[in-house]
Amino acid sequence: MKKVPYIYFLLLIPWLSLLGQKPYLQFEYYTSAQGLSQNSVYAIIQDKQGFMWFATQDGLNRFDGYGFKIFRNENHLKSTASNYIYSMAGDAHGRIWIGTTTGLAIFDPKNSSYTDVEITRDTEINQVLRATDGSMWVAINKLGIFHFSSDGETLGHYLNELVSPEITFLYEDNKKRIWAGSANRGISIYNPTTGTFSALKDPALQKITVSAIRMTPGGEIWIGSRQNGLLRYRESSHTFESVTADGQSGLSSNNIKYIFTDSKKRIWIASEEGLNLFNEKQQIFYNYNYDQADPNGLSNDDINFIFEDRSGALWIAMNNTGICRYSPNLTYFKNYDAQSNGSFLPSNIVWSFYEDDDGELLIGTENGLTIYNPRTRSSRIVNTENSPLSHNTIRHIHKDKAGFFWLASDGGGLIRFDKKTGRIKTYLNDPTDSTSLSNNRLRYIFPRDAGSLWVATLEGLNIFNFKANTFKLLQKSTSSKNSLSDDRILSIYQYRDGPLFIGTYNGLSLYNEKTNTFRNFHKDKDNPSSISSNIVISVLHRREDPEDVFWVGTSEGLNRFNLSTGEFKSFTTRDGLPNNIIYSIEEDRQGHLWMATNKGLSQMDVEAQHFRNFNLKDGLRNDEFSANASIALKNGQLWFGGVEGITAFTPEEIGINENVPPIAITSFSIYDKELPVDSILAVKPRIDLSYTDKFFKIQFAALEFTNPLKNRYKYKLEGFDSKWIDAGYNHSASYTNLDGGEYVFRVIASNNDGVWNEKGLEIPIYIKPPFWETVWFIGALISLVLLGIAFFVHLRLNAIKRQREELKEKVRERTAELLKRNVELKRSQAEQKRILHNVEEGFFLLDSGMKIQSAYSKSLETILEDEAIAERPIFDVLAGHIGEKEMDMTRDYLNMLFEDTLDEELIASLNPLNRIKTIFKNVDDTLTTKYLDFRFKRITEFDKISGIIATVSDVTEEHLLGIKLAETEAKSKKQMEWMLGILHIEPHMLIEFNESAHRELDYINTIMAGSDSTADYPRLSEQIARSLHLIKGNANLLNLEYFANMVHRIEEKSNKLCCRSPLSGSDFIPVFMDLDRLKKELNELGKLIERMARFSSDTSGNGKKQGKKNDLIHTLRNYADKIASEMGLRVHLKAQAFQTHNIPLKQLMVLKDIFIQLVRNSLSHGIEPPEERRERGKQETGTIEISVEKEADSMLFIRYTDDGRGLQYDKIKQKACTRTAHDNTELEKWSKPELAELIFEPGFTSKEKADMYSGRGMGMDLVRDRLKKYGGGIEVESKEGEYCTFIIKLSLTHRN
Amino acid sequence: MVNDQIKIMVVDDSSIIRKIIQRGVTEKNYQLVGTASNGLEAIDLFKENPADIVTLDITMPEMDGLVVLEHLLQIKPDVQVIVISALSDKATAIEAIKKGAKSFIPKPFTTEQVQQTIQKLAEKVAV
């Protein structure tokens, strides 16, 4: 029934081709195999972001180019809408109105929620239409039409106004009229200006059920029907024209499902029996049907719906077979293979082509020769089975002028084939005949002249004289450089009457027939202008190139060869080729080169030197091609043969997709839990993650569907990635273990042709920092304050040091200058006088009798404030100005200078007059202090020390400045020490100290208030002494040196009072002033304690109680826990094997002090933070264990061990170096036990800086000392990274 | 005279300083007859085996370095004593030299400094 029009239609083709050909449509398929929820698709829309949505019998599908995300209404308590969706439309809010079998619902993709439109509950929705004003028109089965605002508010319900309550289709035309088609009752048309429906009635309409309405670009209204074909309604003349599937129209079916006009103004009709494309000029329809022979055709004939996305791709909704997509922007390659139904190919392995003058194509395959007529699509095969063909593999085909075809077989010699008669003549190698073919494996045949051919074999080049039937062999000759470069030939090429290009397995040979010589080209590693490979596969001259330029395809890239210069320029993958093996080269009509490689096709724009590559992702079914298996057909098509058949295409049809792709985030998951990004970002400016979300993955997609698999991406997490990450075709990014903070994730994408959306997309991400960071913020702040103080002091110290250095340098310079002048002085007496008069420094000479020579500088008199200096011994001059001790030293020193046994340089450092304090009496008898700097240098004459040159300068100013700075330095240091000192002490002890000191001072006050007679003064004095002594003792106990020193000074003053008698009230005044100062300082301390208490959760109260009532171990444990918790450590103190009852109290007190020191050390240096311990494979909680190892001869051996880092020898070395200013190489040689001993050196501590709990305390030297006093000792034993153990030896009977 | 015939004794209460001098001495192949960490030890050792050159820390807890120096000179008048002292303590250094010390090294010092000083004195021993 349908065959007749089909054949008729085929006959039309030659004419049609003149007027416009039926475009070939190649489809991509999406079915449940690709993840679609169901294969009957009823409606398609594209949302604002660019996602495609498909309505099926079982749910909604969102497509991002890679996969489908399925949405089904599963909570029917909230919405009764079924998942069988007939129709859908997107509203202004980004929601989708879905018409289902059980009512209308609004689906919100942001939170995947369904909201029923109540009034429609339990009705059957025929269609949902979104009008251009944003309102929704909904046709309900047997219930007319509802009109809703985009918010779901009912704007109207139309039933009686309509031609029928059964509205089957809704359509809005370009005048914003709503057309409502009915079953057999005509059409109602809503006029938006009047707000009323009018009826369109015509006998033609009375017989049909309207299934589709569309206004065509030409202004007609096309009305599709079920069973009755198409009505073309011309409104102006009110005429209807019926178009049916009668063969004349070309319409494939009378059962029309949908009418669609695309952006190119083409009209498409979806029917139950195929897709129709209307040819306006011909007024006929082209049909597209399911074709078993076409692997890229429609998947089915039953089509429900058609949609065009923003990129211009057509999406065809199929009944039962999912979706077919046609992208007009996609490059189309036609693939021929042996498997397709009715294929003309006997094998998929294709070697050679020839296009005959009559349009027939001769194709040499691995399985014989096929002769294909593209017009009739008929073919016939010639092979060894159906003909005398000697071999089935035909590597090359040539036609001579007489019309004979010459076939190069791969093992069956040379074959002459007569296409008309089918006659075959074979020329084989005959080892006995030297004029026969040299080898039966042929590669190429090339015309030579009217009577001969070039025949290339794997064993040399033959000149075949077909008139004489003789072969003449040309081969490589080892003796001649001008012979063929290799006998294994791959191809022959000649451009006009130029040289013959012979591509071989070992170089390119250019044969000059006139001279009968070969010019050979080989790869030369050292010559960049040589050919890129010795395996030369193909050669081509491009029409637009100069006569002497050739393109040479090799196994290592493409070469541009200049015949005149003999130079090659190579192009490889580095220049953009997909692969370096160039099997064949063709030129298209635009002058572009096309290369078949081992990895797809490549187009080269020669002028731009740009390569555009095509592979399986572009629709190639074959990406591995055969050598020289290509042809440029007369119609402009290029055919390339490979191992999977033939790839055929028209290069001009390959356009560039200019659509800039929109980008969307398709998924954001933490581990494998998905985050609703859209709904989060709808209400918040960023995605908040927690520190514990250690792994997250972001998936994104360029919503451009021309060829989604070739869309490319680059992304970057700002705040983490410094550069863009080129993700290639990969559309996801993962991140792990990011630090807390703010980030921005950015992604940009390109379409299949590399057109980028540079603006891209960004998502701000915030990762909450770990909680402990914030808790420790306070701790960090304290440390910072301390560090700040230390830093400040350090800066000051450096400044002072620098200043001192500068001063020193100044003096050195001056001395040098002076000495230089001294030399000159000897030369000229006149000059000497002038200089001596003018130099600022005091300058003089001493003879061996220590007398000052008369030639001294004038300044000396000013400096020493003495005018009678000449010829006097220096000691006399200095007498009264310096101390006696200094004078003695000076005497010794100057004498030493005259002894040449001592090194001068060495002696210089002993100079006692270096910056000496001198005292001068002024006229008014007051005293002036001056600091003078004397420098002495020996004068050696005839190997004997004959005298001393001396310089003296007044450095008072510098010195005082230095002192001032030193004082500041000392003060800062003290302040820091004081502060640190306090911080080391447990708060409750400090409080106790403060309280008791205040008690004592208050007590003194009470006594003082009650002392009104002199008789009371001695008691007061005694009490002051007792109180002060108590405070001092307590201060010392807590290492509060500052207070101890202060009290000590007051004590000294008050002690003097005791000796005085009688005492008067005024004697006490200075002491009271001091006591007042002490009180102020104690108040300061109190404030500091209070501040500290705020930071410490464990304040005075409980600490005090526990400290008092518990035994040694309990105290230690509390102490350890407290310090550990404040340092962020975890520690458990074990002491099961340590019994205290038989240890005398005195020894116990010693042990307590020692243990406290050791616990401090363990926590400051040993026990690692829990994270570090975990990494090292240790328990997070560190262990300190105290045990009695043995007790013998009243000696107690106690083992104290922690499982921390052990002694850190590197730090010990470092410390040792800085302490003694020796270089490290020395200590490198020390053994570990030797280094371990260093910790017992006085004042040694390996912590870089004194922090809250270490760096003070008594120090390991004192521990050892104290134990020595008890007849014991302490030894250390450690394994780095594992433990540190102290063995404490103590005598139980020793009385200190 | 070759270095290994020159006998050297090191007296210092600091083990680090002792080691540094000791290394300096052995590196140059001098014959180290012993080290002492205090004066009494030093004198005992010196009595047993008088060294040619002694490095002597002038400030030691048990016995004043100057006293040790006197003892050493009594035992062996031509002993070359190098006094080690803090730079600030010039008076003691001068005193030591007056008493017969032949050289002095101020702290802090380098191994090279020790070796140079010993070398100078070693030449005198050799003569």
Side-chain angles (χ1 to χ4, degrees):
Chain A
M1 186 175 107
K2 269 197 301 174
K3 270 178 188 168
V4 180
Y6 186 69
I7 291 165
Y8 168 74
F9 189 65
L10 273 177
L11 291 173
L12 282 173
I13 284 174
W15 307 331
L16 283 178
S17 63
L18 297 169
L19 301 154
Q21 248 176 338
K22 170 187 168 182
Y24 175 71
L25 305 183
Q26 181 170 311
F27 294 98
E28 292 291 325
Y29 311 114
Y30 300 101
T31 66
S32 50
Q34 279 76 39
L36 195 64
S37 65
Q38 209 270 338
N39 282 328
S40 284
V41 181
Y42 292 108
I44 305 174
I45 59 167
Q46 186 173 25
D47 71 14
K48 264 191 204 161
Q49 275 182 283
F51 286 110
M52 298 301 300
W53 291 85
F54 303 99
T56 71
Q57 282 185 10
D58 187 20
L60 265 174
N61 293 262
R62 191 191 79 176
F63 183 62
D64 61 13
Y66 302 99
F68 294 89
K69 192 171 175 184
I70 300 167
F71 299 91
R72 286 190 182 98
N73 180 14
E74 263 142 18
N75 182 2
H76 290 287
L77 287 175
K78 199 161 170 267
S79 161
T80 56
S82 79
N83 289 313
Y84 196 124
I85 307 165
Y86 273 142
S87 175
M88 66 176 164
D91 72 11
H93 311 296
R95 300 175 303 180
I96 298 169
W97 293 48
I98 52 170
T100 77
T101 50
T102 56
L104 179 69
I106 301 169
F107 171 71
D108 191 343
K110 282 200 190 87
N111 47 23
S112 305
S113 69
Y114 293 80
T115 312
D116 284 345
V117 177
E118 293 291 336
I119 200 163
T120 67
R121 187 166 277 179
D122 292 328
T123 63
E124 198 176 321
I125 309 296
N126 284 344
Q127 204 191 341
V128 186
L129 173 78
R130 180 185 168 177
T132 42
D133 64 2
S135 65
M136 292 287 181
W137 293 87
V138 180
I140 300 179
N141 195 24
K142 297 187 176 73
L143 291 173
I145 300 169
F146 279 83
H147 189 201
F148 299 103
S149 74
S150 64
D151 298 320
E153 184 194 340
T154 311
L155 300 175
H157 176 219
Y158 306 93
L159 190 69
N160 299 328
E161 303 91 324
L162 303 175
V163 289
S164 160
E166 177 66 31
I167 297 300
T168 50
F169 194 82
L170 287 171
Y171 175 70
E172 183 189 32
D173 69 11
N174 59 1
K175 291 173 190 145
K176 295 179 184 163
R177 294 179 299 180
I178 305 296
W179 296 62
S182 72
N184 305 320
R185 296 279 168 84
I187 297 171
S188 286
I189 303 169
Y190 175 77
N191 186 332
T193 47
T194 61
T196 54
F197 276 96
S198 59
L200 174 65
K201 288 203 173 183
D202 190 270
L205 289 170
Q206 301 303 315
K207 291 176 280 180
I208 64 164
T209 300
V210 176
S211 60
I213 303 172
R214 191 92 182 188
M215 186 174 261
T216 67
E220 292 178 12
I221 300 287
W222 286 23
I223 301 155
S225 74
R226 285 180 201 151
Q227 312 305 339
N228 297 96
L230 176 75
L231 282 177
R232 292 173 68 171
Y233 170 55
R234 294 181 188 90
E235 206 179 0
S236 52
S237 59
H238 195 77
T239 52
F240 290 87
E241 183 195 337
S242 171
V243 181
T244 54
D246 55 2
Q248 300 258 334
S249 67
L251 189 65
S252 64
S253 165
N254 284 329
N255 195 350
I256 291 172
K257 291 206 167 170
Y258 195 65
I259 305 170
F260 182 72
T261 52
D262 70 14
S263 55
K264 293 185 179 111
K265 298 188 173 173
R266 294 182 297 189
I267 307 168
W268 302 83
I269 293 180
S271 80
E272 209 175 61
E273 285 158 281
L275 180 67
N276 297 269
L277 171 61
F278 186 61
N279 181 324
E280 188 90 39
K281 281 186 184 129
Q282 296 299 307
Q283 294 290 308
I284 54 150
F285 290 93
Y286 294 142
N287 294 167
Y288 294 91
N289 290 82
Y290 170 69
D291 178 1
Q292 210 187 346
D294 185 354
N296 302 311
L298 278 178
S299 60
N300 171 15
D301 279 347
D302 192 356
I303 302 162
N304 289 331
F305 194 80
I306 302 168
F307 182 83
E308 183 183 15
D309 73 18
R310 292 197 273 272
S311 77
L314 288 183
W315 299 78
I316 318 291
M318 311 301 292
N319 205 28
N320 298 321
T321 56
I323 305 148
C324 291
R325 191 196 76 216
Y326 157 63
S327 299
N329 287 322
L330 189 58
T331 339
Y332 286 122
F333 294 99
K334 180 115 181 110
N335 297 282
Y336 298 104
D337 61 28
Q339 283 82 31
S340 305
N341 256 16
S343 170
F344 55 83
L345 281 176
S347 162
N348 270 345
I349 301 174
V350 176
W351 287 111
S352 49
F353 296 102
Y354 192 91
E355 185 181 19
D356 203 358
D357 300 331
D358 58 10
E360 284 189 325
L361 285 170
L362 283 78
I363 301 160
T365 75
E366 192 80 1
N367 202 15
L369 180 76
T370 180
I371 298 155
Y372 172 62
N373 187 330
R375 213 165 47 210
T376 62
R377 291 164 95 178
S378 60
S379 64
R380 62 183 200 273
I381 288 161
V382 180
N383 58 28
T384 52
E385 278 153 39
N386 66 13
S387 78
L389 196 70
S390 58
H391 200 278
N392 272 339
T393 303
I394 310 299
R395 294 292 295 257
H396 194 244
I397 304 167
H398 169 70
K399 188 185 182 187
D400 69 15
K401 286 201 171 119
F404 288 112
F405 284 91
W406 296 88
L407 312 177
S409 82
D410 192 22
L414 179 67
I415 299 156
R416 195 189 73 178
F417 173 63
D418 186 336
K419 199 178 94 178
K420 286 191 193 93
T421 63
R423 282 180 62 198
I424 284 170
K425 190 176 175 187
T426 309
Y427 300 85
L428 288 164
N429 167 259
D430 178 356
T432 61
D433 181 358
S434 65
T435 66
S436 74
L437 184 65
S438 67
N439 183 284
N440 286 335
R441 296 186 69 187
L442 269 57
R443 285 293 176 265
Y444 223 88
I445 301 160
F446 203 79
R448 185 166 173 265
D449 55 34
S452 65
L453 290 173
W454 291 104
V455 179
T457 74
L458 281 183
E459 281 180 20
L461 186 63
N462 293 262
I463 297 172
F464 172 50
N465 188 320
F466 50 80
K467 280 175 185 152
N469 267 345
T470 55
F471 290 85
K472 187 187 162 201
L473 181 62
L474 292 176
Q475 269 184 317
K476 179 183 177 165
S477 157
T478 44
S479 62
S480 169
K481 256 179 79 181
N482 292 331
S483 71
L484 189 62
S485 69
D486 195 90
D487 291 340
R488 295 162 298 165
I489 299 165
L490 280 160
S491 65
I492 303 174
Y493 183 81
Q494 190 175 28
Y495 179 63
R496 296 191 178 156
D497 54 357
L500 206 62
F501 282 70
I502 302 159
T504 78
Y505 276 98
N506 189 23
L508 175 67
S509 273
L510 263 54
Y511 178 61
N512 187 329
E513 219 175 344
K514 284 174 202 128
T515 58
N516 192 28
T517 52
F518 290 89
R519 185 177 163 204
N520 296 327
F521 296 90
H522 289 99
K523 181 181 178 171
D524 177 359
K525 265 187 286 178
D526 302 326
N527 179 5
S529 301
S530 70
I531 191 164
S532 64
S533 164
N534 284 333
I535 301 176
V536 181
I537 309 169
S538 51
V539 182
L540 181 88
H541 178 270
R542 202 174 69 105
R543 285 187 301 276
E544 282 161 49
D545 279 334
E547 296 246 320
D548 57 352
V549 169
F550 293 84
W551 294 89
V552 182
T554 74
S555 67
E556 280 167 55
L558 178 71
N559 291 260
R560 183 184 190 272
F561 173 55
N562 188 315
L563 181 63
S564 310
T565 62
E567 284 182 351
F568 294 83
K569 182 182 192 291
S570 68
F571 297 88
T572 65
T573 47
R574 256 172 296 170
D575 303 289
L577 273 171
N579 178 266
N580 282 337
I581 303 177
I582 310 297
Y583 282 125
S584 66
I585 311 172
E586 292 294 345
E587 182 186 1
D588 69 16
R589 285 176 172 176
Q590 284 143 328
H592 296 323
L593 293 180
W594 285 85
M595 271 77 61
T597 76
N598 219 19
K599 222 173 185 179
L601 289 171
S602 181
Q603 181 203 43
M604 182 190 188
D605 180 334
V606 178
E607 270 67 47
Q609 301 211 345
H610 174 261
F611 293 89
R612 187 175 169 195
N613 302 323
F614 301 89
N615 55 36
L616 299 179
K617 285 198 165 94
D618 296 287
L620 289 186
R621 292 291 143 94
N622 181 17
D623 69 348
E624 189 186 331
F625 294 93
S626 307
N628 288 306
S630 64
I631 187 166
L633 297 181
K634 292 188 182 90
N635 66 3
Q637 281 192 8
L638 297 184
W639 287 37
F640 288 91
V643 296
E644 295 285 344
I646 297 165
T647 300
F649 60 98
T650 306
E652 293 95 290
E653 286 176 4
I654 298 173
I656 285 182
N657 177 9
E658 305 280 3
N659 292 323
V660 175
I663 309 169
I665 297 300
T666 56
S667 151
F668 192 119
S669 50
I670 297 163
Y671 296 102
D672 48 6
K673 195 181 135 255
E674 192 160 327
L675 221 61
V677 196
D678 290 341
S679 52
I680 293 172
L681 291 179
V683 291
K684 282 171 116 184
R686 63 185 187 193
I687 304 281
D688 283 341
L689 299 180
S690 148
Y691 162 73
T692 53
D693 299 333
K694 284 191 186 302
F695 175 86
F696 67 86
K697 184 177 177 186
I698 306 173
Q699 283 180 287
F700 33 84
L703 301 174
E704 211 287 340
F705 305 104
T706 300
N707 189 357
L709 297 181
K710 274 198 104 177
N711 292 344
R712 300 179 65 102
Y713 303 91
K714 283 178 189 166
Y715 65 84
K716 182 183 185 182
L717 184 65
E718 274 175 16
F720 182 75
D721 296 319
S722 54
K723 286 189 290 188
W724 284 94
I725 290 154
D726 189 348
Y729 301 128
N730 191 3
H731 53 101
S732 72
S734 304
Y735 289 92
T736 50
N737 277 327
L738 291 177
D739 289 338
E742 291 189 35
Y743 300 90
V744 178
F745 179 77
R746 291 182 195 279
V747 56
I748 59 170
S750 86
N751 69 12
N752 59 318
D753 280 335
V755 174
W756 286 86
N757 175 346
E758 298 282 357
K759 196 170 157 264
L761 187 87
E762 59 179 64
I763 312 182
I765 295 170
Y766 176 71
I767 299 176
K768 272 171 245 154
F771 78 95
W772 48 262
E773 260 182 26
T774 50
V775 169
W776 275 87
F777 177 68
I778 295 161
L781 206 68
I782 295 172
S783 313
L784 259 179
V785 169
L786 291 176
L787 267 176
I789 295 170
F791 183 66
F792 171 75
V793 171
H794 185 73
L795 274 186
R796 289 294 288 265
L797 281 173
N798 274 351
I800 292 157
K801 269 186 201 157
R802 211 164 41 236
Q803 212 155 349
R804 279 185 186 159
E805 281 304 315
E806 279 165 16
L807 289 176
K808 255 191 214 166
E809 188 55 35
K810 223 186 255 175
V811 171
R812 240 179 259 137
E813 271 170 28
R814 280 180 196 171
T815 314
E817 208 178 308
L818 206 67
L819 289 171
K820 204 176 140 203
R821 280 177 201 165
N822 176 39
V823 176
E824 287 163 0
L825 188 121
K826 281 184 176 174
R827 286 194 208 127
S828 150
Q829 287 290 325
E831 209 178 345
Q832 176 189 346
K833 270 187 185 164
R834 195 172 58 79
I835 289 167
L836 288 178
H837 224 264
N838 292 315
V839 286
E840 270 176 47
E841 287 80 10
F843 167 74
F844 57 98
L845 295 167
L846 286 178
D847 65 7
S848 53
M850 306 294 174
K851 276 184 190 155
I852 298 173
Q853 301 294 288
S854 56
Y856 58 82
S857 68
K858 193 79 183 148
S859 309
L860 187 66
E861 291 179 2
T862 321
I863 292 167
L864 295 179
E865 299 182 12
D866 195 337
E867 283 172 17
I869 295 171
E871 300 300 329
R872 280 173 63 197
I874 183 168
F875 311 115
D876 281 7
V877 175
L878 290 177
H881 300 306
I882 63 172
E884 268 174 46
K885 198 181 157 203
E886 283 79 14
M887 187 64 93
D888 286 348
M889 276 169 75
T890 306
R891 203 169 273 126
D892 291 340
Y893 178 72
L894 290 176
N895 284 329
M896 259 187 242
L897 276 177
F898 278 96
E899 285 166 31
D900 56 0
T901 49
L902 289 164
D903 189 55
E904 185 174 344
E905 218 176 301
L906 197 70
I907 240 54
S909 57
L910 293 177
N911 178 6
L913 298 184
N914 160 12
R915 191 165 293 185
I916 184 86
K917 184 181 176 184
T918 56
I919 290 161
F920 291 91
K921 200 178 256 177
N922 299 329
V923 196
D924 58 355
D925 272 3
T926 55
L927 297 176
T928 304
T929 304
K930 283 210 280 193
Y931 290 87
L932 300 182
D933 199 14
F934 286 81
R935 299 284 156 126
F936 302 94
K937 194 155 172 59
R938 289 162 171 165
I939 303 170
T940 315
E941 276 174 335
F942 312 109
D943 280 346
K944 275 192 139 183
I945 299 162
S946 63
I948 289 163
I949 305 171
T951 60
V952 55
S953 46
D954 187 342
V955 293
T956 310
E957 206 184 331
E958 288 96 321
H959 184 76
L960 292 179
L961 186 65
I963 286 175
K964 200 179 161 196
L965 286 172
E967 272 171 3
T968 323
E969 164 197 337
K971 207 172 153 193
S972 316
K973 210 172 167 184
K974 179 156 279 169
Q975 275 172 354
M976 188 174 75
E977 257 175 33
W978 180 55
M979 192 159 167
L980 288 174
I982 285 169
L983 289 170
H984 298 158
I985 302 160
E986 286 168 85
H988 77 263
M989 295 178 79
L990 272 178
I991 290 166
E992 229 170 60
F993 166 76
N994 199 24
E995 282 172 358
S996 85
H998 274 290
R999 263 200 310 276
E1000 292 301 322
L1001 291 179
D1002 289 347
Y1003 192 51
I1004 292 171
N1005 261 339
T1006 351
I1007 294 174
M1008 189 185 69
S1011 313
D1012 41 13
S1013 69
T1014 41
D1016 295 331
Y1017 291 149
R1019 203 185 130 232
L1020 179 61
S1021 162
E1022 264 171 47
Q1023 184 53 48
I1024 289 170
R1026 248 201 308 275
S1027 292
L1028 285 176
H1029 197 76
L1030 195 94
I1031 297 171
K1032 189 172 95 172
N1034 285 342
N1036 273 327
L1037 205 68
L1038 294 178
N1039 257 331
L1040 292 169
E1041 275 175 57
Y1042 180 79
F1043 282 99
N1045 290 341
M1046 192 173 169
V1047 177
H1048 181 73
R1049 279 194 300 273
I1050 308 171
E1051 223 180 354
E1052 275 179 343
K1053 275 189 199 167
S1054 74
N1055 281 350
K1056 282 176 192 156
L1057 293 181
C1058 303
C1059 322
R1060 214 174 284 177
S1061 83
L1063 273 168
S1064 76
S1066 60
D1067 288 336
F1068 285 98
I1069 291 171
V1071 176
F1072 283 139
M1073 279 173 71
D1074 280 348
L1075 288 177
D1076 195 47
R1077 202 160 66 88
L1078 176 65
K1079 199 176 166 97
K1080 275 182 189 153
E1081 294 281 11
L1082 285 168
N1083 285 338
E1084 284 298 310
L1085 175 68
K1087 279 183 203 160
L1088 196 68
I1089 296 167
E1090 231 174 85
R1091 255 178 280 156
M1092 282 166 64
R1094 256 180 258 148
F1095 290 123
S1096 166
S1097 56
D1098 186 15
T1099 43
S1100 55
N1102 51 26
K1104 220 157 138 187
K1105 277 176 229 152
Q1106 281 173 4
K1108 274 181 182 166
K1109 68 177 183 198
N1110 291 311
D1111 66 352
L1112 166 60
I1113 291 305
H1114 200 106
T1115 313
L1116 268 183
R1117 203 166 273 157
N1118 278 346
Y1119 183 76
D1121 285 351
K1122 189 161 145 29
I1123 298 183
S1125 78
E1126 285 176 34
M1127 291 177 79
L1129 304 173
R1130 278 189 228 158
V1131 69
H1132 177 59
L1133 193 139
K1134 284 205 246 175
Q1136 280 85 347
F1138 182 73
Q1139 298 305 324
T1140 53
H1141 52 81
N1142 61 342
I1143 302 174
L1145 195 64
K1146 212 164 189 180
Q1147 270 82 349
L1148 210 55
M1149 289 316 289
V1150 172
L1151 282 176
K1152 182 188 169 184
D1153 285 352
I1154 289 168
F1155 286 152
I1156 283 180
Q1157 175 65 24
L1158 292 179
V1159 167
R1160 275 182 190 174
N1161 281 352
S1162 289
L1163 292 170
S1164 309
H1165 310 300
I1167 304 293
E1168 310 89 336
E1171 303 85 52
E1172 192 183 327
R1173 291 185 65 87
R1174 200 169 51 233
E1175 275 163 33
R1176 288 170 186 269
K1178 293 180 177 181
Q1179 296 264 314
E1180 287 186 15
T1181 303
T1183 307
I1184 293 174
E1185 189 162 10
I1186 301 173
S1187 56
V1188 172
E1189 187 144 86
K1190 63 175 177 184
E1191 202 185 322
D1193 303 331
S1194 74
M1195 288 298 280
L1196 188 63
F1197 289 83
I1198 298 157
R1199 169 187 285 270
Y1200 172 97
T1201 188
D1202 74 53
D1203 66 346
R1205 297 185 184 96
L1207 290 179
Q1208 291 163 284
Y1209 295 107
D1210 283 341
K1211 287 200 177 163
I1212 292 174
K1213 277 185 228 165
Q1214 234 177 319
K1215 181 69 191 175
C1217 288
T1218 45
R1219 277 193 71 233
T1220 55
H1222 291 296
D1223 73 308
N1224 200 20
T1225 51
E1226 179 57 41
L1227 289 160
E1228 286 302 330
K1229 301 163 193 160
W1230 291 30
S1231 69
K1232 284 186 178 168
E1234 277 177 320
L1235 287 169
E1237 273 298 296
L1238 285 177
I1239 65 167
F1240 297 109
E1241 285 279 319
F1244 197 98
T1245 160
S1246 68
K1247 194 97 176 173
E1248 287 89 350
K1249 56 180 197 303
D1251 64 18
M1252 287 229 254
Y1253 304 104
S1254 68
R1256 292 282 295 187
M1258 60 173 136
M1260 292 310 291
D1261 56 329
L1262 287 179
V1263 168
R1264 185 173 260 186
D1265 263 17
R1266 277 189 89 171
L1267 283 165
K1268 264 187 193 167
K1269 281 176 191 157
Y1270 283 85
I1274 183 165
E1275 300 302 329
V1276 66
E1277 195 187 312
S1278 165
K1279 185 160 184 199
E1280 210 162 351
E1282 290 186 20
Y1283 64 85
C1284 184
T1285 298
F1286 291 92
I1287 304 291
I1288 299 154
K1289 195 169 78 173
L1290 189 68
S1291 165
L1292 292 175
T1293 51
H1294 198 280
R1295 303 253 175 264
N1296 184 32
Chain B
M1 200 186 274
V2 234
N3 285 358
D4 63 7
Q5 282 169 295
I6 293 171
K7 293 192 275 185
I8 293 179
M9 179 169 88
V10 178
V11 187
D12 207 303
D13 66 337
S14 158
S15 67
I16 302 176
I17 304 268
R18 263 199 323 268
K19 296 251 175 193
I20 287 160
I21 301 174
Q22 209 173 315
R23 303 267 183 199
V25 165
T26 45
E27 242 175 49
K28 293 285 174 188
N29 288 323
Y30 295 107
Q31 186 193 335
L32 182 76
V33 293
T35 61
S37 60
N38 63 57
L40 289 173
E41 231 180 275
I43 292 162
D44 286 348
L45 193 63
F46 196 72
K47 274 180 190 160
E48 258 174 56
N49 191 355
D52 300 310
I53 299 172
V54 175
T55 72
L56 175 64
D57 184 3
I58 213 85
T59 44
M60 285 189 299
E62 309 269 333
M63 189 192 271
D64 190 342
L66 289 174
V67 181
V68 179
L69 173 67
E70 278 170 17
H71 276 95
L72 298 183
L73 285 165
Q74 265 175 23
I75 299 161
K76 186 180 176 184
D78 65 341
V79 65
Q80 309 280 317
V81 176
I82 302 167
V83 168
I84 312 247
S85 77
L87 186 55
S88 56
D89 194 7
K90 284 175 200 169
T92 322
I94 293 173
E95 190 63 30
I97 287 168
K98 261 177 79 184
K99 281 195 152 76
K102 291 298 185 295
S103 191
F104 105 107
I105 303 174
K107 281 195 253 188
F109 53 83
T110 63
T111 313
E112 287 72 41
Q113 241 174 303
V114 178
Q115 289 173 342
Q116 277 169 18
T117 312
I118 292 176
Q119 183 64 33
K120 270 182 202 160
L121 297 184
E123 280 160 21
K124 285 181 192 166
V125 174
V127 170

